[in-house]
mmCIF file of all heavy atoms in Angstrom:
data_model
loop_
_atom_site.group_PDB
_atom_site.id
_atom_site.type_symbol
_atom_site.label_atom_id
_atom_site.label_comp_id
_atom_site.label_asym_id
_atom_site.label_seq_id
_atom_site.Cartn_x
_atom_site.Cartn_y
_atom_site.Cartn_z
ATOM 1 N N ARG A 139 -17.403 22.270 18.684
ATOM 2 C CA ARG A 139 -16.594 21.073 18.577
ATOM 3 C C ARG A 139 -17.021 19.991 19.624
ATOM 4 O O ARG A 139 -17.119 18.850 19.311
ATOM 5 C CB ARG A 139 -15.143 21.495 18.980
ATOM 6 C CG ARG A 139 -14.404 22.013 17.764
ATOM 7 C CD ARG A 139 -12.900 21.857 18.080
ATOM 8 N NE ARG A 139 -12.161 22.751 17.197
ATOM 9 C CZ ARG A 139 -11.991 22.565 15.877
ATOM 10 N NH1 ARG A 139 -12.574 21.461 15.309
ATOM 11 N NH2 ARG A 139 -11.323 23.330 15.159
ATOM 12 N N ALA A 140 -17.263 20.458 20.846
ATOM 13 C CA ALA A 140 -17.704 19.566 21.876
ATOM 14 C C ALA A 140 -19.092 18.951 21.511
ATOM 15 O O ALA A 140 -19.350 17.809 21.801
ATOM 16 C CB ALA A 140 -17.703 20.303 23.217
ATOM 17 N N ALA A 141 -19.949 19.851 20.969
ATOM 18 C CA ALA A 141 -21.319 19.256 20.624
ATOM 19 C C ALA A 141 -21.196 18.276 19.544
ATOM 20 O O ALA A 141 -21.960 17.269 19.554
ATOM 21 C CB ALA A 141 -22.197 20.538 20.156
ATOM 22 N N VAL A 142 -20.357 18.474 18.485
ATOM 23 C CA VAL A 142 -20.198 17.501 17.423
ATOM 24 C C VAL A 142 -19.718 16.200 18.032
ATOM 25 O O VAL A 142 -20.172 15.072 17.733
ATOM 26 C CB VAL A 142 -19.222 18.023 16.316
ATOM 27 C CG1 VAL A 142 -18.816 16.913 15.405
ATOM 28 C CG2 VAL A 142 -19.915 19.172 15.597
ATOM 29 N N ASN A 143 -18.635 16.286 18.855
ATOM 30 C CA ASN A 143 -18.094 15.107 19.471
ATOM 31 C C ASN A 143 -19.093 14.302 20.290
ATOM 32 O O ASN A 143 -19.187 13.047 20.212
ATOM 33 C CB ASN A 143 -16.846 15.464 20.330
ATOM 34 C CG ASN A 143 -16.103 14.279 20.833
ATOM 35 O OD1 ASN A 143 -15.461 13.537 20.076
ATOM 36 N ND2 ASN A 143 -16.157 14.062 22.141
ATOM 37 N N GLN A 144 -19.896 14.979 21.127
ATOM 38 C CA GLN A 144 -20.844 14.307 21.942
ATOM 39 C C GLN A 144 -21.909 13.688 21.070
ATOM 40 O O GLN A 144 -22.400 12.555 21.330
ATOM 41 C CB GLN A 144 -21.382 15.399 22.956
ATOM 42 C CG GLN A 144 -22.496 14.722 23.951
ATOM 43 C CD GLN A 144 -21.876 13.762 24.891
ATOM 44 O OE1 GLN A 144 -20.927 14.111 25.586
ATOM 45 N NE2 GLN A 144 -22.349 12.488 24.916
ATOM 46 N N ALA A 145 -22.430 14.460 20.093
ATOM 47 C CA ALA A 145 -23.528 13.927 19.227
ATOM 48 C C ALA A 145 -22.967 12.687 18.452
ATOM 49 O O ALA A 145 -23.766 11.788 18.338
ATOM 50 C CB ALA A 145 -23.922 15.058 18.233
ATOM 51 N N CYS A 146 -21.760 12.703 17.986
ATOM 52 C CA CYS A 146 -21.217 11.521 17.259
ATOM 53 C C CYS A 146 -21.087 10.382 18.245
ATOM 54 O O CYS A 146 -21.341 9.192 17.779
ATOM 55 C CB CYS A 146 -19.899 11.918 16.593
ATOM 56 S SG CYS A 146 -20.116 12.957 15.192
ATOM 57 N N PHE A 147 -20.795 10.583 19.427
ATOM 58 C CA PHE A 147 -20.806 9.494 20.484
ATOM 59 C C PHE A 147 -22.239 8.938 20.597
ATOM 60 O O PHE A 147 -22.437 7.729 20.486
ATOM 61 C CB PHE A 147 -20.204 9.997 21.774
ATOM 62 C CG PHE A 147 -20.323 8.914 22.842
ATOM 63 C CD1 PHE A 147 -19.389 7.933 22.907
ATOM 64 C CD2 PHE A 147 -21.332 9.033 23.874
ATOM 65 C CE1 PHE A 147 -19.519 6.933 23.993
ATOM 66 C CE2 PHE A 147 -21.450 7.974 24.871
ATOM 67 C CZ PHE A 147 -20.494 6.921 24.915
ATOM 68 N N ASP A 148 -23.124 9.790 20.809
ATOM 69 C CA ASP A 148 -24.580 9.394 21.010
ATOM 70 C C ASP A 148 -25.112 8.736 19.772
ATOM 71 O O ASP A 148 -25.866 7.781 19.893
ATOM 72 C CB ASP A 148 -25.391 10.664 21.337
ATOM 73 C CG ASP A 148 -25.022 11.240 22.647
ATOM 74 O OD1 ASP A 148 -24.398 10.546 23.567
ATOM 75 O OD2 ASP A 148 -25.340 12.468 22.933
ATOM 76 N N LEU A 149 -24.793 9.220 18.646
ATOM 77 C CA LEU A 149 -25.331 8.656 17.301
ATOM 78 C C LEU A 149 -24.528 7.622 16.743
ATOM 79 O O LEU A 149 -24.921 7.034 15.660
ATOM 80 C CB LEU A 149 -25.506 9.872 16.375
ATOM 81 C CG LEU A 149 -26.425 11.042 16.676
ATOM 82 C CD1 LEU A 149 -26.141 12.127 15.764
ATOM 83 C CD2 LEU A 149 -27.796 10.647 16.602
ATOM 84 N N LYS A 150 -23.409 7.250 17.395
ATOM 85 C CA LYS A 150 -22.440 6.277 16.965
ATOM 86 C C LYS A 150 -22.002 6.618 15.405
ATOM 87 O O LYS A 150 -22.062 5.790 14.529
ATOM 88 C CB LYS A 150 -23.095 4.817 16.896
ATOM 89 C CG LYS A 150 -23.331 4.318 18.381
ATOM 90 C CD LYS A 150 -23.867 2.918 18.364
ATOM 91 C CE LYS A 150 -23.861 2.278 19.706
ATOM 92 N NZ LYS A 150 -24.587 2.977 20.720
ATOM 93 N N LYS A 151 -21.574 7.839 15.213
ATOM 94 C CA LYS A 151 -21.094 8.310 13.941
ATOM 95 C C LYS A 151 -19.595 8.589 13.958
ATOM 96 O O LYS A 151 -19.062 8.907 15.044
ATOM 97 C CB LYS A 151 -21.968 9.526 13.446
ATOM 98 C CG LYS A 151 -23.396 9.079 13.161
ATOM 99 C CD LYS A 151 -24.110 10.218 12.448
ATOM 100 C CE LYS A 151 -25.652 9.880 12.348
ATOM 101 N NZ LYS A 151 -25.909 8.925 11.290
ATOM 102 N N THR A 152 -19.066 8.549 12.861
ATOM 103 C CA THR A 152 -17.621 8.833 12.605
ATOM 104 C C THR A 152 -17.367 10.169 12.006
ATOM 105 O O THR A 152 -18.159 10.565 11.123
ATOM 106 C CB THR A 152 -16.892 7.746 11.801
ATOM 107 O OG1 THR A 152 -17.115 6.481 12.462
ATOM 108 C CG2 THR A 152 -15.482 7.977 11.580
ATOM 109 N N TYR A 153 -16.435 10.973 12.500
ATOM 110 C CA TYR A 153 -16.283 12.285 11.924
ATOM 111 C C TYR A 153 -14.752 12.659 11.752
ATOM 112 O O TYR A 153 -13.893 12.135 12.475
ATOM 113 C CB TYR A 153 -16.968 13.369 12.807
ATOM 114 C CG TYR A 153 -16.391 13.753 14.122
ATOM 115 C CD1 TYR A 153 -15.666 14.898 14.182
ATOM 116 C CD2 TYR A 153 -16.556 13.024 15.246
ATOM 117 C CE1 TYR A 153 -15.127 15.351 15.492
ATOM 118 C CE2 TYR A 153 -16.093 13.413 16.525
ATOM 119 C CZ TYR A 153 -15.327 14.622 16.563
ATOM 120 O OH TYR A 153 -14.796 14.998 17.742
ATOM 121 N N ALA A 154 -14.555 13.526 10.760
ATOM 122 C CA ALA A 154 -13.139 14.020 10.501
ATOM 123 C C ALA A 154 -12.984 15.333 11.224
ATOM 124 O O ALA A 154 -13.817 16.264 11.005
ATOM 125 C CB ALA A 154 -12.957 14.168 8.997
#
Side-chain angles (χ1 to χ4, degrees):
R139 277 201 196 290
V142 168
N143 187 68
Q144 182 66 54
C146 287
F147 175 78
D148 294 339
L149 297 166
K150 297 187 166 53
K151 290 191 190 286
T152 299
Y153 74 100

